[in-house]
Amino acid sequence: MSKSENIIELIDVRKVFDDDTIAVDNFNLEVKKGEFVTFLGPSGCGKTTTLRMIAGFELPTSGKILLNGEDISRLPPNKRPVNTVFQKYALFPHLNVYENIAFGLRLKRIESTYANDKGEKYTKKEKLTKAEIDKKVKKALEIVDLEGFEKRSVSTLSGGQQQRIAIARAIVNEPEILLLDEPLGALDLKMRKEMQVELKNMHKKLGITFIYVTHDQEEALTMSDKIVVINDGDIQQTGTPTEIYNEPVNTFVADFIGESNIFNGTVVGNLKVKFCGATFDCLDDYEINQLVDVVVRPEDIKICKPGEGQLKGQVISSVFKGVHYEITVIVGKFEIIIQSTSTAPVGSTIGLRIEPDGIHLMEKVYTVNKYDGEITKNNTVKFGDGEFECDVTQLYPSSHLDEEGYLITANGEKVDLTGVEVNVEVDTNDIQMSDDKDAGGAQGNIISMIYKGDHYRYIVRTEENEEDYVLSCPDTWNTGDFVGIIIPKDKIKLTLKPAGESK
Amino acid sequence: MKGLRFNRKHLCIPYAVFLVLFVIAPLFVIVYYAFTNGQGHFTFDNFVNFFTSTKTLGTLLYSFAVAIVTTAVCLVIAYPTAYILARSKMKKKYVLLLLFILPMWINFTLRITALKEVLSVLEGNISVYPFLNSVIGMTYDFLPFMILPLYTSLQKLDNSLLEAASDLGANKATVFLRVTLPLSVPGIISGITMVLLPSMTNYVVLDMLYNNTYIMGSLIGSYFSAYDWNNGSLISLVLLIIIFIVTLVTNRFSDKDANNKGAIL
């Protein structure tokens, strides 16, 4: 990409707020002239902060923002050729519609070149004339379709009209980049859809670069040329709406964009992946035994007769959503969401078929092992085909155990934990292996070892239910070794399952 | 017994009684005395006296001068203070605000007496600068009434409006002049109303500062202590009308910004 094509570039931009929260971390982005770019992410992900740094309301802690190749990261907002449409419009309540739109024009100084008597050229900064301002305001009102509103007070306008005025106020200055901070967030659904189309048309007509911030994935998919998915101050993925939807790079993107079924899977052969207890053909090429996240969009799952597809399950709910039915099917212990134009009766058993192009694999980035566990009567926890000693007092703040092994909560209540279902998390660094298969709470075979520079990444699989333990270890073992799994008591993190989630 | 059932409207009876006894009735009494003479006959004499006597007219003008200068000084001190208190990100700003409001909690007599002592030390003979001392005394007394409404209206100011203005090309000074200042007008007006009118009549401050100049309040006081209720009432009536006019004018001002009404304490 040549430099001249990029209207704005963010290089290693980082923003740390006064209270040491990192809002944006090493943000790198190039935006081409005329593009419609959307920053998409959940609230608090740093997308608005990034926009505010481009606008000049926040200064980056480090890094550079280049506009047409020039560093503007330290310029105040009034010196930048960008304009912002604010989330809550921020129209001036003491000015009428005309004056609101003319605000920027009245402050503008145009440099013109003149020649004096001796023929020497000189430049002069001049205000726009009244007639020029008038013409531009009229034109802007025309673009947002609010002709004749000049004299109205902004407080008499509806939300949608205020939004249009806010857009008119920004575009009338002919900025190089228009920044839009969740501009449609306060509008109702119908209005929002209309404005989406109008904004898109405006973008085409004006030809200026739009940078749009939203948490609404549908809005992002509808409007953008390019979507930047952001989470925790980091760019997760950059791409066209189709790329983002069809080829999400990680589970966050898959989960955030559209509905998806995400499963733990293992590559079991050339272009073959195993998940939900069945083997599927797929198009993504990974090494055998690689652990993967499998993403299947609900609309890519087809209903067929029991026994015909790869999976078989029972329908537990079917909800009509207008265009399609949303059907929930239980397959073994997995819950699968399907979108289909036809439905199946609740309680019936159906077959499910997933074509290879409906299966998207992503390499698993492992830092913790997550399991569903159950507390036994001995205050140990059962998970992953094993039983481990654990500290159950972490389930309730400031609780303790009495002599009989019952849990006493902070307010003195006695709780019997037997049979309570819990989420179990164990860090990959906290699992050890032992030659003595009975040394720990579980045992299994090493099915994979990958050298990661200074340690090996092992996967140990149990025999009974094929549960996997992923662990890091600096020592060398051999694939196929049968080992015991040891997890120190204080390294097992337990959390109660939220009510209703336990099956 | 339907007629005796308690109704929400009945809650306003105490206030209505108060209003009639202490507001409406006295008003009629004032109007009666203002347009009668000592013998109880109807007359315009008091009215004519007021507008022909150089003493009363002079006092009226002098009161205006004191009140306007006091208000101006209060505004000049209060605006930057309120602005800093409201807009800064200082963590301790509420403590600072309290420091400005705190004098209101201390007894008025004590405050003015203390001020008198300070002025005596600074000026030697405090009766040499009556006008200056009046203004200092009144400012000291009324400053919190100016700061509070300004603080409230500046604090309510939406930060995104200031950002929008700078986004549209305004530098800091322009942002202030074209957005902050116009939007704080309701606060300015309610501050002015709360300082201007009382400082025309609060002659106690002057008395306590051994001030021998007269303002409207002192004039009324002197008539009443000389048992001339008729002239005293007329002056009160004139003041009432002036206050009414000022309120009308300022209300007209703040009506323009009906949708972002500033602070009234």
Side-chain angles (χ1 to χ4, degrees):
Chain A
M1 214 180 284
S2 79
K3 274 254 182 276
S4 59
E5 269 185 12
N6 291 333
I7 185 151
I8 196 152
E9 269 177 77
L10 280 78
I11 301 167
D12 292 334
V13 171
R14 187 179 156 85
K15 175 76 189 175
V16 183
F17 282 118
D18 293 341
D19 56 352
D20 287 338
T21 47
I22 299 167
V24 176
D25 208 5
N26 292 327
F27 204 95
N28 284 286
L29 182 72
E30 292 175 342
V31 176
K32 275 186 262 176
K33 214 179 168 83
E35 259 185 329
F36 195 127
V37 178
T38 301
F39 292 173
L40 176 66
S43 48
C45 71
K47 56 189 192 301
T48 296
T49 309
T50 310
L51 194 82
R52 289 171 60 80
M53 284 193 281
I54 299 174
F57 304 135
E58 308 275 359
L59 297 181
T61 312
S62 62
K64 273 193 215 163
I65 299 172
L66 304 183
L67 184 95
N68 293 323
E70 269 174 65
D71 189 358
I72 58 156
S73 40
R74 301 280 139 190
L75 278 185
N78 54 322
K79 299 259 165 66
R80 301 187 186 197
V82 300
N83 283 117
T84 311
V85 177
F86 291 82
Q87 188 170 8
K88 294 204 178 90
Y89 321 138
L91 297 176
F92 304 118
H94 59 298
L95 301 176
N96 66 17
V97 167
Y98 183 95
E99 287 303 322
N100 260 288
I101 299 175
F103 194 96
L105 296 174
R106 292 199 196 284
L107 297 168
K108 214 171 200 166
R109 300 287 179 271
I110 304 285
E111 239 175 63
S112 343
T113 312
Y114 295 94
N116 62 10
D117 307 340
K118 293 168 199 157
E120 291 163 340
K121 285 195 174 153
Y122 65 99
T123 57
K124 217 164 88 176
K125 286 195 170 178
E126 285 184 327
K127 287 185 179 185
L128 292 168
T129 65
K130 214 171 166 325
E132 281 170 320
I133 292 177
D134 226 46
K135 204 174 130 198
K136 281 175 191 279
V137 172
K138 284 246 155 58
K139 177 95 185 296
L141 276 171
E142 220 171 273
I143 292 172
V144 297
D145 216 9
L146 284 179
E147 296 103 320
F149 275 64
E150 288 92 338
K151 292 277 173 295
R152 292 278 288 271
S153 150
V154 289
S155 56
T156 63
L157 304 179
S158 71
Q161 288 167 337
Q162 289 193 24
Q163 187 58 75
R164 284 157 198 257
I165 299 301
I167 293 166
R169 184 178 69 176
I171 57 174
V172 77
N173 304 296
E174 292 155 24
E176 294 200 39
I177 303 173
L178 185 68
L179 306 173
L180 302 109
D181 184 7
E182 306 213 18
L184 309 183
L187 302 180
D188 63 59
L189 185 69
K190 197 153 178 272
M191 193 74 204
R192 203 154 67 218
K193 300 251 168 184
E194 272 176 41
M195 284 303 290
Q196 283 174 12
V197 177
E198 276 187 49
L199 272 175
K200 186 82 202 161
N201 289 340
M202 240 178 251
H203 173 248
K204 264 187 219 143
K205 215 174 345 177
L206 296 169
I208 52 180
T209 312
F210 277 41
I211 299 181
Y212 192 97
V213 162
T214 185
H215 62 265
D216 182 336
Q217 42 102 1
E218 198 192 319
E219 200 164 281
L221 293 174
T222 315
M223 302 171 76
S224 329
D225 297 327
K226 182 152 116 189
I227 297 178
V228 183
V229 185
I230 303 172
N231 190 31
D232 282 342
D234 272 328
I235 295 183
Q236 304 291 319
Q237 190 174 5
T238 306
T240 64
T242 348
E243 280 166 12
I244 300 270
Y245 189 85
N246 291 337
E247 305 287 329
V249 292
N250 58 29
T251 46
F252 173 80
V253 178
D255 197 33
F256 196 74
I257 312 285
E259 300 235 19
S260 24
N261 295 290
I262 301 176
F263 307 105
N264 292 323
T266 315
V267 178
V268 290
N270 187 24
L271 301 182
K272 284 198 189 302
V273 63
K274 187 174 174 190
F275 60 91
C276 290
T279 306
F280 297 83
D281 291 326
C282 63
L283 302 175
D284 298 304
D285 195 7
Y286 283 99
E287 272 182 52
I288 287 188
N289 284 332
Q290 169 77 49
L291 287 185
V292 287
D293 284 312
V294 181
V295 174
V296 183
R297 298 288 181 189
E299 66 270 20
D300 289 334
I301 304 176
K302 303 278 175 292
I303 298 177
C304 55
K305 282 187 198 131
E308 275 185 14
Q310 299 103 321
L311 296 171
K312 195 164 83 176
Q314 196 177 26
V315 179
I316 58 163
S317 89
S318 172
V319 181
F320 183 57
K321 292 273 185 181
V323 183
H324 59 262
Y325 291 89
E326 192 168 289
I327 304 161
T328 313
V329 180
I330 289 279
V331 177
K333 58 174 184 165
F334 301 100
E335 201 177 274
I336 300 175
I337 312 260
I338 303 164
Q339 286 174 2
S340 167
T341 47
S342 58
T343 185
V346 173
S348 65
T349 303
I350 56 173
L352 302 174
R353 187 176 32 237
I354 309 169
E355 299 298 331
D357 65 354
I359 295 171
H360 179 66
L361 303 188
M362 295 170 300
E363 189 177 332
K364 209 164 196 125
V365 187
Y366 246 113
T367 54
V368 285
N369 293 279
K370 290 182 184 177
Y371 305 96
D372 297 326
E374 188 184 327
I375 307 283
T376 66
K377 63 174 185 225
N378 304 321
N379 285 333
T380 58
V381 61
K382 265 185 167 170
F383 63 86
D385 281 350
E387 192 173 331
F388 295 86
E389 277 189 44
C390 64
D391 175 19
V392 288
T393 54
Q394 59 180 301
L395 291 170
Y396 292 93
S398 45
S399 60
H400 64 276
L401 291 173
D402 67 1
E403 292 104 46
E404 294 163 39
Y406 287 105
L407 187 91
I408 311 293
T409 63
N411 23 350
E413 269 178 80
K414 207 178 203 183
V415 182
D416 185 4
L417 290 168
T418 309
V420 168
E421 292 187 16
V422 287
N423 292 315
V424 183
E425 282 182 29
V426 186
D427 202 280
T428 51
N429 294 316
D430 294 332
I431 305 179
Q432 292 148 25
M433 292 181 288
S434 163
D435 284 327
D436 177 1
K437 65 181 172 59
D438 294 323
Q443 58 274 116
N445 288 306
I446 297 177
I447 56 154
S448 132
M449 57 183 288
I450 302 164
Y451 189 57
K452 293 276 187 182
D454 58 345
H455 66 274
Y456 288 93
R457 157 69 48 87
Y458 293 98
I459 301 171
V460 178
R461 180 169 293 169
T462 62
E463 288 184 318
E464 196 182 328
N465 286 321
E466 301 198 339
E467 297 266 10
D468 290 331
Y469 291 88
V470 179
L471 56 117
S472 306
C473 176
D475 305 327
T476 317
W477 297 71
N478 292 317
T479 323
D481 284 358
F482 194 68
V483 294
I485 296 287
I486 303 170
I487 309 173
K489 188 177 170 179
D490 56 322
K491 300 292 188 195
I492 299 178
K493 212 178 131 214
L494 303 175
T495 45
L496 285 174
K497 291 209 177 200
E501 202 190 278
S502 53
K503 288 161 210 157
Chain B
M1 297 296 276
K2 207 181 168 191
L4 281 179
R5 282 268 285 286
F6 178 76
N7 189 313
R8 210 159 62 170
K9 278 184 196 155
H10 297 152
L11 282 176
C12 71
I13 289 176
Y15 180 65
V17 171
F18 177 86
L19 207 65
V20 170
L21 278 181
F22 295 105
V23 180
I24 299 176
L27 259 179
F28 278 106
V29 176
I30 288 174
V31 173
Y32 169 78
Y33 276 108
F35 291 100
T36 53
N37 61 18
Q39 284 75 46
H41 298 300
F42 176 80
T43 176
F44 280 115
D45 281 357
N46 308 323
F47 191 72
V48 175
N49 279 346
F50 181 89
F51 286 101
T52 50
S53 152
T54 47
K55 189 190 164 204
T56 50
L57 282 183
T59 308
L60 182 65
L61 281 180
Y62 183 76
S63 306
F64 263 124
V66 171
I68 287 169
V69 173
T70 302
T71 313
V73 173
C74 279
L75 190 60
V76 167
I77 300 174
Y79 202 99
T81 312
Y83 185 85
I84 292 167
L85 288 177
R87 309 301 305 170
S88 83
K89 284 174 187 146
M90 266 190 301
K91 282 188 184 117
K92 298 273 187 300
K93 65 181 181 180
Y94 294 103
V95 179
L96 269 176
L97 182 68
L98 199 66
L99 279 181
F100 281 94
I101 308 301
L102 207 59
M104 276 164 69
W105 300 355
I106 293 168
N107 182 273
F108 168 79
T109 322
L110 189 70
R111 263 188 291 152
I112 300 297
T113 312
L115 180 68
K116 188 188 77 191
E117 296 307 324
V118 172
L119 288 177
S120 306
V121 171
L122 290 177
E123 298 173 0
N125 182 359
I126 56 168
S127 58
V128 180
Y129 311 100
F131 185 82
L132 177 70
N133 290 347
S134 305
V135 170
I136 293 176
M138 302 265 199
T139 305
Y140 182 44
D141 201 22
F142 294 129
L143 190 61
F145 295 100
M146 186 64 99
I147 292 182
L148 267 186
L150 282 174
Y151 172 78
T152 330
S153 74
L154 285 169
Q155 206 198 20
K156 278 200 312 190
L157 198 60
D158 187 353
N159 209 29
S160 67
L161 290 177
L162 308 183
E163 285 182 350
S166 71
D167 184 66
L168 292 166
N171 57 29
K172 287 204 165 100
T174 318
V175 172
F176 177 78
L177 287 176
R178 304 204 40 184
V179 182
T180 314
L181 193 59
L183 286 175
S184 60
V185 162
I188 296 175
I189 285 173
S190 77
I192 288 176
T193 327
M194 296 183 77
V195 174
L196 185 76
L197 300 173
S199 52
M200 278 179 76
T201 52
N202 194 341
Y203 70 101
V204 184
V205 176
L206 271 63
D207 278 0
M208 290 189 61
L209 291 174
Y210 297 142
N211 211 320
N212 52 6
T213 53
Y214 262 41
I215 57 171
M216 292 308 278
S218 1
L219 202 59
I220 298 170
S222 71
Y223 274 116
F224 275 91
S225 47
Y227 296 102
D228 185 351
W229 290 19
N230 307 92
N231 276 306
S233 297
L234 184 99
I235 299 169
S236 308
L237 197 64
V238 170
L239 262 185
L240 195 82
I241 291 165
I242 291 173
I243 290 170
F244 182 69
I245 292 170
V246 172
T247 316
L248 216 63
V249 170
T250 49
N251 273 356
R252 182 58 49 84
F253 253 106
S254 38
D255 267 356
K256 265 171 71 179
D257 307 278
N259 298 300
N260 61 114
K261 275 238 160 66
I264 310 274
L265 268 182

